[in-house]
Amino acid sequence: MLLAILLVMVAINLLLPVIVSSPKYDFTEWEQQVTAYQEKRDSLLREKYRLHPVPFDPNKVSRKELLAMGIAEKPASNWANYLRKGGHFRKPEDIGKIYGLPDSVSEKLIPFVRMKEDATPRAIKSTEVKPVRTLVASAKSEVRAAVPVKKKVIPVLDLNSADSVSLEKLPGIGPVLAGRIVKYRRLLGGYYSVGQLREVYGLRPEHYDRAVPYLKVTADSVRSIQINFASLGDLARHPYINYREAKAVVNRREKEGKIKGFEALDDIFLPEKVEKLQPYIIFAP
């Protein structure tokens, strides 16, 4: 009797999937809604980050005014913090040292910079007569200062070939930052501009300012991505391309064939990102 019950239960388990078919769901409408939402969001982002520069004094501009000109929230906040802590710009090109502000944006802002003459008070020479002892000590100090001191010569390094051991010897760069610089170079496929160092995690503006005089870039050593042949994973691994963008590129390629230029991808990448990607992307036939 028990054996018969077991056999009936086994038969029910085997026949149930055949008798009751699993329901099929159509996700087409949902996918269309997601695509429409992403396109609307990208359109809003393009409008949000479109620059509207007006003449301004970089030493007096407020965060609100920077945002109104189309500068992203992070560099606008860094700019305001820099001024609040006593930072001062002495020439228009100095705005390029704001952490998080792309070179392309700073170059567009520079023509609108209006700076007043630096009114920082300078030291006035004293006419007070100093004691003889003080004059003798001063003379000895000047003699010592006249003796040439051999300074440590720091060689200029190629950012695309220097190893972490060489990089950590630069002013402001220690072992941790040197390792991150090399790792980010590997992810990018090479640096095409020294300014890309600002994107390295943990590298602060003061670190960048101290190290940049000793760095150069050999642009022809940048590793390119053949966008018509790269896999989804290869595209998504690049720091300038997220997974959604990589997926959209692959779908476009599968539906319309080989991509001939960035103009065919203007609905996928924002203009700022296209500018950053140009040195890395090739549209091979």
Side-chain angles (χ1 to χ4, degrees), residues 39 42-43 46 225-230 235 240-242 244-275 277-278 280-284:
E39 291 176 352
D42 290 346
S43 176
R46 288 190 184 92
I225 300 174
Q226 295 190 4
I227 200 167
N228 284 316
F229 300 98
L235 292 171
Y240 294 162
I241 305 176
N242 59 42
R244 185 188 66 80
E245 292 166 340
K247 181 67 173 175
V249 169
V250 172
N251 290 341
R252 178 69 52 81
R253 196 172 63 197
E254 291 175 349
K255 291 179 181 179
E256 301 179 9
K258 292 183 178 179
I259 302 169
K260 297 181 179 179
F262 276 110
E263 61 274 6
L265 302 173
D266 59 358
D267 59 333
I268 296 177
F269 296 114
L270 294 171
E272 292 81 3
K273 185 164 287 189
V274 169
E275 187 173 355
L277 281 172
Q278 281 180 342
Y280 296 105
I281 300 297
I282 57 175
F283 299 89

Side-chain angles (χ1 to χ4, degrees), residues 86-98:
H88 187 80
F89 301 101
R90 302 199 177 277
K91 56 182 183 298
E93 292 76 12
D94 286 350
I95 65 174
K97 66 185 180 181
I98 292 296

Side-chain angles (χ1 to χ4, degrees), residues 49-63:
Y49 293 113
R50 185 175 292 126
L51 283 178
H52 307 285
V54 295
F56 70 101
D57 186 339
N59 291 311
K60 296 182 179 180
V61 69
S62 67
R63 178 178 177 275

